[in-house]
Every structure is written in C-alpha cells, then in structure tokens.
C-alpha cells in the first residue's frame, strides 16, 4: 500500500541544504550560549549581584510665580537630601551609627525610618532633608564607609517675600494618603510634592510639571557605571499674577497687627491687584515638610493665621449691606430720589423698639442722605415695606447664595436668610423683626469679604460682575505665553441705570459729608459705604466697600477689619490710603 | 470513520507531538515564574497569565486536531480564498485595529483579541505551497520567479503599515526558504538578495523612529541614550548570570525584580537562561531541534511537492522565530520583537504555532494514500 514519494530529487537536495543551514544556526546559538553562560557566566553573575539598578526620581522644578510687573515672588532653590537605599545596606545598625554621628541623629531614629519603608528595598528612604553644606562634604568624603547612603539634590519651593500674599500663593507639601487615592497612580506616587493651598493648589497641574527619572547601574561602592534610562523632567509652567507686589506690600503693612482683609480689583476685568489677609504665615515653613511644632503653633493659633479671611470666613456685613437694601427699595418703587423719611432716633415695630446709631436722630432724610449718614431708621422703613420675599429677589440677583468664584480653592458660602432657610434651620417662621435686622445687614446674614466686593463691583460697573481672578498669564518654561486669562462676565445684575445712579450718588455723599469722611482724599474722588457690624465675638467688625475715581471708576476696594471697631474710623482710612497708593503707583 | 481513526493513531508522528507537548509544559512553567509576581503594587492573581496561556494552548490543540482530519490536498482548493481573507483582515487592522505600544496589530473578534498577522503567516504558507507546487517548472522564467514576491509583498506591505518589522521579515523568510526548496535558481535568489541589499538605504527612511532606534541600539547597546538598549543589556546579564545550572526556577534575581521588560513575551528566553542555566537552555534548544528535525523529515518523506512545501513553510516559520528570538535575547541579533514559539505569552501566536504543527502532522499522516 505504501507509495514511494513523488517529491523530485532536486527538491530533496535543497531540503538537505536547508537542514545544514538550520544546524549551523543552532550551533551558533549553542556556542553563544556557552560563551555567555559558561565562559562569561561568572562575570555576569557578579554583575547581577554586585551591580544594582537604582531608580532615581528627578523632581521637576515647579513653575515660578511672578507679580503683574514681572517681579518674581516664588521660585525654587536646590536642597540636598540624604537618603538610604535599604537594599544596598549590609549592616543597618552599623551604618546608622556612622551616619547618625555625622548628621546629628540617633541611631534608633535612622533605623526606625528605614524599617518603616519596606515596600521596595531599592527605593531611597529619606533620612535628612535640606542638609547643610558641611554635612554634604563630610558624607562625600566618607562615602566608602557609608555604602547605601545617597545624596540627592531636589528643588525646594522658595517664597522670596516670606509672608507676603501667603494666602494667595498657598504652599506645597508631600502628597498624603487621601490625595494619593483621589489623584491616583501612576501619575502620583508617595513622596511627591503637590500644591496644598492657594494658587499652588488651584494651579497645581500647571505649576507641577512632569517628574523625570533615571535608572543607573551602580557598582558595589555606589558609583554610577552606566545610565540605563533617562527621562528628563519637564519643568512646570510659570504664573503671572494680577497682583501688584508693591500694592500688596503696602496693603499688608496697612493691616499689620490687625485681623482682616483688603481686596482691590479692576471691576472691568476682574483682575485682583491686591488681596491682603492678616494675620499671615510663612509658606516656606511648609516647603520641606512642616515640623510638628510649627504646625501645632499655626493650626492652634486663636487668630487663625492660615485662614484666608477674604474667602474662607463669613461675617455680618452691617451697614455695608445697605447698598443692597437701597437698590431693592428703589427698584421696587418703595422709595425714589425724593421720598423722605423722618429719623427720630427710634423705630417702633409692634412692641419692639429699634434704634438708629445716632440717638438724637437724623431728622428728615432722602435716600442719598440716608446712605451718606447710614441712617438705620430709613433702612428699617425700607426693610419693613419690602418684606423678605422681595428682598430675597435682590439678594438672588447679586448671586449671594452662590460662591463668587475666584481661582483659589476652598471659597466658602455665606448665610443668606430667607423664610425657607429659617424654617429649615430654626423651625421658625420669619418675623417682621427679621426684615428690620436684614435691612441693615445684621441678624442672620453672613457674607465673605469677597461677596461684599462682588456687590461693590456690580454697582461700579452698573450691573456686570467680572470673574475675579489672580492669574493673568500662564507662561511656558521657555518664556512663551501659553494662556492669557481674558476678562469674563460671570454675572449680570439686572438693575436699572437710574437706581445705580442714585446709589452711586449716595456712596459719593458718604465720603463728602457722611460716615466715610475719613476716606475723603484731596487728589482722588472716592465713593463708598462704611459698615460697623455687631457680632457675638466682641468688638464690632469694621467694613468699607467703595470705588474710585467717582466719575470714571478704575478700581474697587473692600476693606474688612475683624473686631476692628467702627467702619468709618478704622476701615475708611485704610481704603483711602490703599486707593491713593494705587493711583500713586499707577503714575 | 473508525478506519480513519485507526490510520490516524497508526501514522501520527508521536515524537513530534510529544516534543510539542513538552515545550508547552516548559513554557507554562517559565511563564509562571516570570509573571507570578505582579510588577505593580496592586496584588494580582499570580496564575492570571498561566491560566490564559493554558486556555490558548487548549484552543491551539483543538485547531490542531481539526487540521489533522482535513486532508491537506483539500487545502489547495481554498488556498486563494485563505490568502484573500488574510489580506482583508490585515486591511481591517489598519482601519480599525486596537493599538498596543503605538503599533496596531490586533483585531477584536468576539471575546478574542486576534492578530491577523499570525493568521497571515499560515495563509502565506498554504498559498505559496499551492502556487509553487503547481508552477515549479515555470520558475525558471525570471518573471514567474518574481510573481510570488508580489503576492508576499502585499502582505509585507500591510503589516509594515501596522507597523511590524519583525513579522514582515517572517513572511520574507518563509517565501525565500520555500523558493529555495522548490528549486528556484540560486542565481535568481542572489539577484533578489542584491537588489534588496541595495535598497536598504531607501527602506531606512520608511522605518518608524522606534524601529531605527532598535537597529542602532543593536549595533551599540551601551550607547543607549533612550533606554532601548536597556532590554538587551539586562537580558544578557540575566542569561549570563544563569551559568551552568541556573539560579533555580523562581529564583532569578533579574527576572523576579522585573528588571526585564516584556520578560513574559519577547524576552522569556532570558528567564530560561537565568533560572535554568545552560542546562535548561540546551534542553529547550534540544526540544526545538526535535521539532525542526521531524519537520524536515516530514518534508522529505511527503507524498508530493505540495506536502513538502507545506512542511518547509512550517519549518521556516518556527525556525526563524526561534533563532531570531534567542539571538535577540543573547544580544547577537537585533530586537525585532519576534516571540519565541510555544513559550512567549500570547494567544494568537500560541494558536498559530500549534496550527503549524497540525499542518506538519497532517502532511506526515497523508504521506500514504488511504
Ligand atoms: Zn438715623
């Protein structure tokens, strides 16, 4: 049954040649294998054991931060970090003793630190941060007896003006567990430095850049033999702020020793020229990981130096809020330019008696005079006639139940009372007395300084609130403008021009003949409203919200001094000084 | 049917089959060693890769058994159809394929991630075997000789687009070896070779950046500015440090610490070299030699030229993959990204390996008329 093959002889010949070729190739492989494993085997074995591959992360320098004039505010400086690579240590106790002697740490502390990181023995464990030059030199000299110890140079955040604008700039720190979980691997790893507060946090993606790294082959003594992988770090992008450094310094000096904030901005662009918060802190303390004692001191300080008061705390606005009451009353036709109300110093509602701040009374007043002299009785009358429902409509128009919006993290909401709100919070109906309190910015109402600022911006522009922002431009490391932040209207407040006109006249009269006379400047026509807010914490809060020049507004200002006293006495002069400085700097 | 089954068990090449089964087991063992520790910090199933690979081996054997039952003479009827299906699939990859590592090589069909370039290897072997066995005498005409280059060239062009330099070379080698065996004039083969050599500078410009880098790094891995040579150095250290007996399975320092990228796919031979040493590597090479020797024997004893050429194609395919992959791991050949038959992790490749074995067994089985 078997048939002989039909395959031609020449083909068989060729197949034999193919077989020979295959045999040659395989012999070649075997010879090479012999060479690699048997002849060179010992050498490679040594290389595999003695030579370790070190992965070194190279942090990207964070972007710089400049003020609007291009003056540098935040930069980086090199810091030397001492680390230990556990996998390369023969005797940890011995090494810790030697290293500890040089850097002034006890043996136990070092051993503990190394033993805490057991996940990857090839990953350097940081022992001492930002060490001094003489220590670096000593370690370099004794390298031979410090096998496993490495020195790494890392960029460290440097805030050149210490406390200046600290709440705006924020600070950086090592990523914590929750952030790591939220932001995720592999983009972030433990030990990464990220923005923790302020602009550093808000613009972290832009400032951070991309870290690089290299894998180097090192010999038994830790000398680098070859670089196997190298990824250059990509530096972060720079920020140019809308803040003017000189104005900021001036403002911080004005509030020195006080608690409070100053917001100065261009109402037609939303650019913030100065954002002062007092008391302040030094963000450099955070740059290399804040010490426990520093953190204790800052976080338990009763003055709350870490709080950005302009956006993170809400306060009763007091009479500064009468701007909104006036607008509501004018718009609803309850009052007009001509209507006069008589102030006898007291106001009766059922069996309750409310008083004006001037006990003897203001006599007969128009709305403009009432704003100028901040007469409570006039505004009580408005509040009573308006009622909470109509009042709420205007608070809503100004967007007060929402955040204003600014390029900083953690802005808080104020409290905007309404019938529903009171029902929800207190299980109580809205009493007519609540209208009276609200009309002068007291009672339940709480606003952040930024919210008051957005109100004065809307009045200044007659209805347009531009998005408030601190960053003007984003610049690439090569110096090209990557993004220019354009002015953007974030809210339109539909109020008639006539109403705005009357209110503005009132604000100007406040400076010329009313409670804001201390803000009157010879060179500059300022308009604004003072506020003195009672609060359960003690001394009244002093407020001033205004703009200048009256005829042709360029800037808006809000001054808030916590427990500072009277608005006219404390806040108004600060506002005047700040505004005069603005026009002086501008010249 | 019963008679057929009897013939089958009587004429099956058990040596070949046994060698392949051993290779599969060997592969699973080494794969487990190289993948049981997850490279990321997230704990994963240590048997994940092994489970998948085993599943593919089972699928491969199912295909192998199906192929044994079909007389290879029936294939000639479908050879052109198979060739066109391969072209269509490759075009589909270019249009809609899934991208891995910047190269498009995959096509999702149902639950399988399927690599049409693997299918095309088998399609090419069948198509060329059919074409060359029918046109053996006409090949003395130079233009007839060039015709199979055109057919193969289309496939090469399509995978080159993906881009996959290694696979293009596999197609070319299969063609040249089959042409050589069928009796093409050496003069012609040399002519083509010279033309190809002179067109290298032109081709250089068609290569993707990473392919160029691989070639440069092959010439000097220590140069290594961007990390490509890292694989080669690490692989050499791993194999070399294995010495005579190896460090023992699961004990490879380089492999276990994940210094070797792609250690379960392209660089699996380094794990063999490091953990099982010279002895293990020679054992592996021995198993390959058995497979190729049986393949050559089958080609010689085939009933007709079609069978011989099918076997030649199968042998060429396996041989080229083995030599290039092991040569690459030892740093004597450029890293072209060709996996190692029966060992490298990957479904499509495992299945195509076993299909090719199925073809060999088929040719052996039908060397006598039933
Ligand atoms: Zn009054």
């Amino acid at each position: 049954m078997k048939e002989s093959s039909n395959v031609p002889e020449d083909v068989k010949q060729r197949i034999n040649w193919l077989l020979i070729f295959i045999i040659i190739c395989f012999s070649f492989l075997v010879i090479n294998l012999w060479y690699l494993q048997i002849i060179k085997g010992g050498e490679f074995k040594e290389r595999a054991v003695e030579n370790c591959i070190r992965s070194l992360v190279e942090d990207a320098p964070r972007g710089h931060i400049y003020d609007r004039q291009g003056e540098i505010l935040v930069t980086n400086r090199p810091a030397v970090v001492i680390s230990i690579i556990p996998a390369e240590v023969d005797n940890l106790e011995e090494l810790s003793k030697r290293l500890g002697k040089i850097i002034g740490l006890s043996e136990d502390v070092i051993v503990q630190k190394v033993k805490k990181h057991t996940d990857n023995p090839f990953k350097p464990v940081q022992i001492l941060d930002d060490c001094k030059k003489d220590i670096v030199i000593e370690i370099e000299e004794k390298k031979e007896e410090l096998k496993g110890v490495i020195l790494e140079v890392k960029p460290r955040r440097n805030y050149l003006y210490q406390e200046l604008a600290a709440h705006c700039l924020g600070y950086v720190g090592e990523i914590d567990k929750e952030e790591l979980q939220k932001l995720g691997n592999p983009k972030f790893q433990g030990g990464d430095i990220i923005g923790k507060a302020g602009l550093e946090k808000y613009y972290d993606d832009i400032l951070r850049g991309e870290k690089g790294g290299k894998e180097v082959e090192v010999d038994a003594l830790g000398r680098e033999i070859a670089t196997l992988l190298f990824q250059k770090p990509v530096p972060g992008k720079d920020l140019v702020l809308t803040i003017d450094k000189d104005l900021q310094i001036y403002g911080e000096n004005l509030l020195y020793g006080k608690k409070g904030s100053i917001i100065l901005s261009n109402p037609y662009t939303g650019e913030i020229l100065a954002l002062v918060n007092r008391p302040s802190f030094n963000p450099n303390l955070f740059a290399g990981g804040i010490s426990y004692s520093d953190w204790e001191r800052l976080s338990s300080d009763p003055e709350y130096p870490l709080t950005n008061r302009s956006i993170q705390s809400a306060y009763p606005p007091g009479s500064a809020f009468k701007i909104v009451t006036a607008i509501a009353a004018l718009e609803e036709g309850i009052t007009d330019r001509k209507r006069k109300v008589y102030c006898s110093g007291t106001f009766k509602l059922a069996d309750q008696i409310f008083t004006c701040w001037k006990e003897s009374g203001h006599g007969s007043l128009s709305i403009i005079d009432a704003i100028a002299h901040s007469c409570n009785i006039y505004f009580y009358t408005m509040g009573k006639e308006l009622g909470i429902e109509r009042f709420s409509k205007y608070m809503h128009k100004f967007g007060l139940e929402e955040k204003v919006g600014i390029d900083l993290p953690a802005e808080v909401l104020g409290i905007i009372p309404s019938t529903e709100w009171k029902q929800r919070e207190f299980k109580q109906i809205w009493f007519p007395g609540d209208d009276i309190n609200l009309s002068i910015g007291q009672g339940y109402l709480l606003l952040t300084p930024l919210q008051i600022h957005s109100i004065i911006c809307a009045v200044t522009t007659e209805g347009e609130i531009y998005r408030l922002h601190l960053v003007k431009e984003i610049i690439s490391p090569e110096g090209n403008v990557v993004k220019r932040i354009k002015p953007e209207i974030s809210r339109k407040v539909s109020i008639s021009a006539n109403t705005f006109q009357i209110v503005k006249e009132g604000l100007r009269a406040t400076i010329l003949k009313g409670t804001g006379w201390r803000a009157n400047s010879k060179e500059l026509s300022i308009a604004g409203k003072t506020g003195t807010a009672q609060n359960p914490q003690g001394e009244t809060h002093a407020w001033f919200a205004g703009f200048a020049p009256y005829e042709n507004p360029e800037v808006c200002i809000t001054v808030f001094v916590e427990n500072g006293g009277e608005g006219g006495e404390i806040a108004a002069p600060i506002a005047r000084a700040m505004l005069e400085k603005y026009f002086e700097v501008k010249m | 049917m019963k008679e057929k089954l009897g013939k089958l068990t009587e004429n099956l090449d058990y040596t070949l089959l046994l060698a392949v089964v051993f290779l599969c087991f060997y592969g699973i063992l080494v794969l487990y060693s190289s993948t049981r520790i997850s490279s990321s910090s997230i704990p994963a199933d240590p048997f994940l890769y092994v489970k998948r690979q085993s599943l593919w081996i089972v699928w491969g054997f199912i295909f192998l058994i199906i192929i044994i039952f079909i007389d290879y003479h029936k294939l000639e009827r479908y050879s052109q159809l198979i060739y066109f299906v391969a072209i269509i699939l490759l075009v589909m990859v270019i249009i809609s394929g899934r991208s891995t590592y910047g190269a498009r090589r995959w096509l999702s069909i149902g639950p399988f991630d399927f690599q049409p370039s693997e299918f095309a290897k088998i399609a090419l072997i069948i198509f060329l075997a059919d074409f060359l066995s029918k046109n053996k005498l006409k090949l003395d005409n130079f233009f007839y000789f060039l015709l199979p280059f055109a057919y193969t060239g289309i496939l090469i062009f399509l995978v080159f687009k993906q881009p996959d330099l290694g696979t293009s070379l596999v197609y070319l080698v299969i063609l040249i070896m089959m042409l050589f065996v069928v009796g093409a004039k050496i003069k012609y083969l040399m002519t083509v070779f010279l033309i190809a050599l002179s067109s290298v500078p032109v081709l250089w410009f068609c290569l993707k950046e990473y392919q160029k880098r691989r070639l440069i790094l092959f010439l000097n891995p220590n140069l290594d500015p961007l990390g490509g040579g890292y694989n080669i150095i690490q692989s050499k250290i791993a194999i070399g440090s294995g010495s005579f007996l190896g460090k023992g399975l699961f004990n490879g320092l380089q492999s276990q610490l994940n210094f070797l990228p792609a250690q379960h796919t392209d660089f699996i031979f380094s794990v063999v070299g490091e953990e099982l040493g010279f002895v293990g590597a020679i054992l592996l090479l021995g198993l390959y030699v058995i497979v190729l020797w049986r393949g050559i024997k089958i080609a010689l004893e085939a009933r007709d030229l079609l069978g011989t050429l099918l076997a030649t194609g199968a042998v060429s395919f396996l041989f080229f993959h083995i030599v290039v992959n092991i040569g690459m791991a030892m740093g004597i050949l450029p890293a072209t990204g060709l996996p190692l038959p029966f060992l490298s992790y990957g479904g499509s490749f495992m299945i195509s390996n076993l299909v090719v074995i199925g073809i060999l067994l088929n040719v052996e089985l039908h060397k006598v008329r039933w």
Side-chain angles (χ1 to χ4, degrees):
Chain A
M1 196 172 93
K2 255 194 172 165
E3 282 176 46
S4 60
S5 166
N6 292 328
V7 179
E9 275 312 307
D10 68 320
V11 169
K12 288 186 177 175
Q13 201 60 45
R14 288 281 174 96
I15 291 174
N16 285 327
W17 281 112
L18 185 64
L19 181 62
I20 291 166
F21 179 64
I22 290 175
I23 290 167
I24 290 170
C25 285
F26 267 76
S27 310
F28 198 61
L29 288 183
V30 172
I31 291 166
N32 253 285
L33 210 53
W34 176 269
Y35 173 76
L36 213 58
Q37 297 196 292
I38 308 298
I39 297 176
K40 290 275 225 165
E43 184 189 309
F44 275 118
K45 215 174 201 166
E46 213 164 84
R47 240 178 124 183
V49 176
E50 292 286 313
N51 300 1
C52 292
I53 309 294
R54 271 183 190 169
S55 305
L56 300 174
V57 171
E58 199 158 324
D59 291 324
R62 276 177 90 80
H64 297 168
I65 302 180
Y66 301 91
D67 92 331
R68 66 182 297 123
Q69 315 289 0
E71 293 232 31
I72 194 153
L73 301 176
V74 184
T75 174
N76 304 298
R77 64 181 174 80
V80 179
V81 175
I82 300 174
S83 305
I84 287 179
I85 298 176
E88 294 181 16
V89 177
D90 298 325
N91 183 338
L92 184 60
E93 280 73 24
E94 192 59 37
L95 178 74
S96 302
K97 204 185 271 173
R98 282 194 211 130
L99 181 65
K101 228 181 250 167
I102 300 169
I103 62 177
L105 275 178
S106 82
E107 179 191 332
D108 293 345
V109 172
I110 298 173
V111 171
Q112 284 306 315
K113 277 189 178 184
V114 175
K115 286 198 170 155
K116 234 167 59 187
H117 297 83
T118 46
D119 49 337
N120 178 357
F122 290 90
K123 200 181 157 196
V125 178
Q126 185 171 324
I127 302 297
L128 186 71
D129 185 49
D130 206 359
C131 72
K132 292 197 176 62
K133 210 170 182 180
D134 46 334
I135 293 179
V136 175
I137 292 166
E138 199 173 344
I139 288 178
E140 282 288 350
E141 280 170 353
K142 295 181 178 164
K143 212 170 181 178
E144 311 269 311
E145 50 186 278
L146 293 170
K147 188 178 159 235
V149 173
I150 58 163
L151 298 168
E152 292 175 281
V153 178
K154 293 189 170 176
R156 180 61 37 85
R157 213 56 170 151
N158 191 8
Y159 302 87
L160 294 175
Y161 295 89
Q162 315 296 334
E163 296 197 344
L164 188 75
H167 298 94
C168 299
L169 299 173
Y171 52 86
V172 295
E174 211 168 279
I175 191 165
D176 61 39
K177 275 217 171 88
E178 288 99 68
E179 287 165 327
L180 199 55
Q181 236 154 32
K182 211 177 85 193
L183 300 169
N185 269 319
K187 201 174 160 193
F188 291 94
Q189 274 121 36
D192 283 0
I193 299 294
I194 64 164
K196 293 277 191 175
L199 294 166
E200 294 273 25
K201 179 173 181 175
Y202 195 89
Y203 289 99
D204 189 53
D205 277 342
I206 286 157
L207 290 166
R208 196 180 52 244
E210 279 170 50
K211 67 187 162 202
K214 56 179 177 180
E215 296 208 333
V216 290
E217 200 182 338
V218 292
D219 67 8
L221 286 176
R223 288 181 299 228
E224 293 185 13
I225 300 167
T227 302
L228 301 176
L229 278 166
F230 184 62
Q231 180 78 53
K232 246 189 142 161
V234 181
K237 298 187 186 74
D238 298 344
L239 298 180
V240 176
L241 304 188
T242 57
I243 298 274
D244 182 293
K245 185 199 87 197
D246 294 337
L247 271 173
Q248 182 75 22
I249 291 175
Y250 190 77
E252 300 211 351
N253 286 336
L254 285 174
L255 274 191
Y256 184 77
K258 297 185 172 71
K259 291 180 287 177
S261 58
I262 302 173
I263 308 169
L264 183 75
S265 78
N266 180 333
Y268 295 103
T269 60
E271 288 184 3
I272 296 175
L273 300 160
L275 185 59
V276 175
N277 281 289
R278 281 286 187 186
S280 193
F281 63 95
N282 186 348
N284 284 317
L285 292 177
F286 291 86
I290 189 163
S291 71
Y292 184 73
S293 62
D294 281 337
W295 174 250
E296 264 303 284
R297 186 171 55 72
L298 282 173
S299 58
S300 63
D301 189 327
E303 311 247 284
Y304 301 110
L306 293 174
T307 304
N308 183 342
R309 285 176 158 73
S310 53
I311 64 164
Q312 289 174 331
S313 320
Y315 305 90
S319 301
F321 192 69
K322 285 173 182 166
I323 296 169
V324 177
T325 313
I327 287 170
L330 286 162
E331 283 291 285
E332 290 295 319
I334 288 163
T335 190
D336 55 26
R337 193 180 278 278
K338 293 190 196 96
R339 179 178 171 184
K340 295 205 170 178
V341 170
Y342 185 80
C343 167
S344 65
T346 54
F347 181 87
K348 269 178 99 170
L349 184 82
D351 53 354
Q352 273 179 291
I353 290 175
F354 297 86
T355 57
C356 188
W357 60 270
K358 192 176 175 186
E359 278 167 46
S360 57
H362 285 100
S364 187
L365 291 162
S366 70
I367 180 92
I368 291 173
D369 292 333
I371 294 172
H373 298 292
S374 201
C375 174
N376 288 354
I377 307 300
Y378 195 102
F379 287 95
Y380 291 154
T381 313
M382 297 300 117
K384 183 187 160 203
E385 292 179 25
L386 268 169
I388 181 62
E389 297 310 326
R390 283 198 282 181
F391 213 134
S392 292
K393 199 169 96 191
Y394 289 89
M395 293 195 286
H396 178 74
K397 280 196 178 189
F398 282 94
L400 296 181
E401 62 279 78
E402 296 161 32
K403 289 177 185 176
V404 177
I406 182 170
D407 45 357
L408 284 176
E411 185 190 343
V412 299
L413 286 168
I415 289 178
I416 309 301
S418 65
T419 43
E420 298 84 38
W421 176 85
K422 200 177 170 195
Q423 191 62 45
R424 200 171 59 234
E425 295 291 316
F426 294 100
K427 307 273 176 285
Q428 264 183 12
I429 58 154
W430 186 266
F431 298 118
D434 295 330
D435 288 328
I436 307 299
N437 280 326
L438 181 60
S439 69
I440 60 158
Q442 294 284 169
Y444 305 111
L445 181 71
L446 296 177
L447 294 176
T448 63
L450 193 71
Q451 284 182 302
I452 289 291
H453 194 73
S454 75
I455 293 169
I456 197 67
C457 285
V459 172
T460 310
T461 59
E462 305 198 347
E464 284 167 350
I465 303 176
Y466 282 81
R467 189 172 301 286
L468 289 158
H469 59 271
L470 288 160
V471 170
K472 216 172 125 194
E473 284 168 356
I474 295 166
I475 294 184
S476 71
E478 297 81 35
N480 304 316
V481 177
V482 179
K483 191 179 172 191
R484 199 165 263 138
I485 282 80
K486 293 193 188 79
E488 180 196 343
I489 294 171
S490 63
R491 177 175 290 277
K492 282 207 157 126
V493 184
S494 55
I495 304 286
S496 71
N498 187 43
T499 296
F500 278 127
Q501 187 52 39
I502 294 168
V503 170
K504 280 181 162 181
E505 281 175 38
L507 296 179
R508 178 64 181 144
T510 304
I511 308 299
L512 291 177
K513 57 179 186 184
T515 54
W517 62 270
R518 285 188 184 85
N520 198 4
S521 163
K522 274 188 215 110
E523 307 94 60
L524 196 59
S525 56
I526 298 170
K529 182 77 194 78
T530 59
T532 305
Q534 276 154 8
N535 64 83
Q537 280 78 40
E539 186 74 34
T540 53
H541 299 322
W543 286 93
F544 184 92
F547 60 91
Y550 171 66
E551 300 77 17
N552 207 353
E554 282 180 31
V555 280
C556 285
I557 189 164
T558 299
V559 176
F560 166 74
V561 185
E562 193 175 322
N563 306 120
E566 298 227 349
E569 203 182 317
I570 302 296
I574 292 174
R576 190 197 68 205
M578 196 69 189
L579 289 168
E580 282 177 346
K581 179 71 180 175
Y582 166 77
F583 285 96
E584 182 197 312
V585 168
K586 209 187 101 188
M587 294 299 153
Chain B
M1 184 70 198
K2 202 177 173 189
E3 190 200 354
K4 195 168 184 179
L5 217 64
K7 296 265 185 206
L8 198 146
T9 45
E10 192 185 313
N11 289 313
L12 205 61
D13 187 336
Y14 287 104
T15 314
L16 174 59
L17 198 59
L18 215 60
V20 168
V21 170
F22 270 122
L23 277 169
C24 289
F25 274 114
Y26 200 119
I28 288 289
L29 209 60
V30 177
L31 181 68
Y32 176 63
S33 175
S34 70
T35 58
R36 76 203 162 96
I37 296 169
S38 149
S39 57
S40 70
S41 51
I42 311 149
D45 179 4
F47 290 101
L48 182 73
Y49 287 89
V50 169
K51 281 180 189 161
R52 288 195 193 152
Q53 184 84 337
S54 307
L55 185 72
W56 290 325
I57 290 174
V58 170
W59 273 104
F61 272 99
I62 292 171
F63 280 110
L64 182 147
I65 290 164
I66 294 169
I67 284 163
I68 289 175
F69 276 100
I70 309 163
D71 187 337
Y72 69 86
H73 294 95
K74 284 182 186 150
L75 282 176
E76 66 188 304
R77 238 179 290 163
Y78 301 109
S79 74
Q80 284 173 356
L81 181 70
I82 292 169
Y83 173 76
F84 283 118
V85 169
I87 287 178
I88 288 164
L89 288 173
L90 287 175
V91 171
M92 274 167 68
V93 174
I94 292 169
I95 296 167
S96 69
R98 240 185 49 185
S99 179
T100 48
Y101 301 116
R104 283 174 313 212
R105 292 174 190 178
W106 302 80
L107 205 60
S108 288
I109 296 177
F112 288 107
D113 272 331
F114 168 72
Q115 245 175 314
S117 60
E118 287 301 328
F119 175 77
K121 286 173 190 166
I122 291 155
L124 183 69
I125 292 169
I126 294 169
F127 178 78
L128 286 178
D130 177 43
F131 178 86
L132 295 175
S133 63
K134 282 177 183 155
N135 298 295
K136 177 173 162 41
L137 295 175
K138 294 184 193 156
L139 289 172
D140 284 347
N141 178 324
F142 189 65
F143 293 100
Y144 247 93
F145 168 82
L146 285 181
L147 211 53
F149 279 95
Y151 288 125
T152 313
I154 293 169
L155 296 183
I156 290 176
F157 173 77
L158 289 174
V159 292
F160 210 79
K161 278 239 120 166
Q162 290 184 10
D164 187 346
L165 178 65
T167 304
S168 318
L169 283 174
V170 174
Y171 297 159
L172 196 64
V173 167
I174 289 173
L175 168 68
I176 288 174
M177 288 197 168
M178 286 174 82
L179 271 173
F180 174 77
V181 165
V182 83
K185 288 190 169 169
I186 301 294
K187 195 170 67 185
Y188 289 174
L189 283 168
M190 289 307 288
T191 312
V192 170
F193 179 71
L194 288 175
I195 293 169
L197 205 64
S198 60
S199 67
V200 162
V202 182
L203 261 161
W204 179 256
F205 292 103
C206 303
L207 289 179
K208 297 267 169 183
E209 209 43 57
Y210 82 96
Q211 292 170 329
K212 287 186 193 173
R213 211 162 63 217
R214 275 181 172 180
L215 282 174
I216 294 171
L217 282 169
F218 163 64
L219 296 171
N220 185 4
N222 290 314
L223 183 78
D224 194 21
L226 291 155
Y230 173 79
N231 293 7
I232 296 165
I233 294 172
Q234 285 308 308
S235 175
K236 274 176 91 166
I237 291 179
I239 295 172
S241 65
S243 277
F244 189 68
L245 283 170
K247 296 172 186 166
L249 208 55
F250 313 136
N251 284 329
L253 182 68
Q254 308 286 310
S255 322
Q256 301 300 330
L257 286 170
N258 290 305
F259 282 156
L260 294 168
Q263 52 179 283
H264 59 292
T265 54
D266 294 356
F267 281 92
I268 195 141
F269 185 77
S270 338
V271 182
V272 174
E274 182 179 22
E275 300 190 350
L276 300 170
F278 185 69
V279 173
I282 289 295
L283 179 68
L284 180 68
L285 285 175
L287 287 169
Y288 283 134
V289 166
I290 292 172
V291 170
L292 296 179
W293 162 59
R294 297 308 290 188
I296 292 286
K297 190 170 169 288
I298 289 166
L300 282 170
E301 294 174 358
R303 195 170 82 202
D304 48 27
L305 192 54
L306 178 65
T308 301
L309 287 174
L310 280 172
T312 305
V315 168
S316 314
F317 166 33
L318 295 173
F319 162 74
F320 188 64
H321 266 277
I322 294 163
V323 170
V324 170
N325 180 282
I326 295 179
M328 169 189 76
M330 292 196 291
I332 51 175
L333 287 174
T336 38
L338 288 182
L340 189 60
F342 310 109
L343 261 78
S344 286
Y345 174 78
S348 300
F349 184 62
M350 179 52 88
I351 290 170
S352 76
N353 291 162
L354 290 167
V355 165
V356 155
I357 296 299
I359 291 173
L360 283 176
L361 290 171
N362 188 322
V363 173
E364 165 73 7
L365 213 54
H366 296 90
K367 72 180 175 192
V368 289
R369 204 179 293 278
W370 291 0

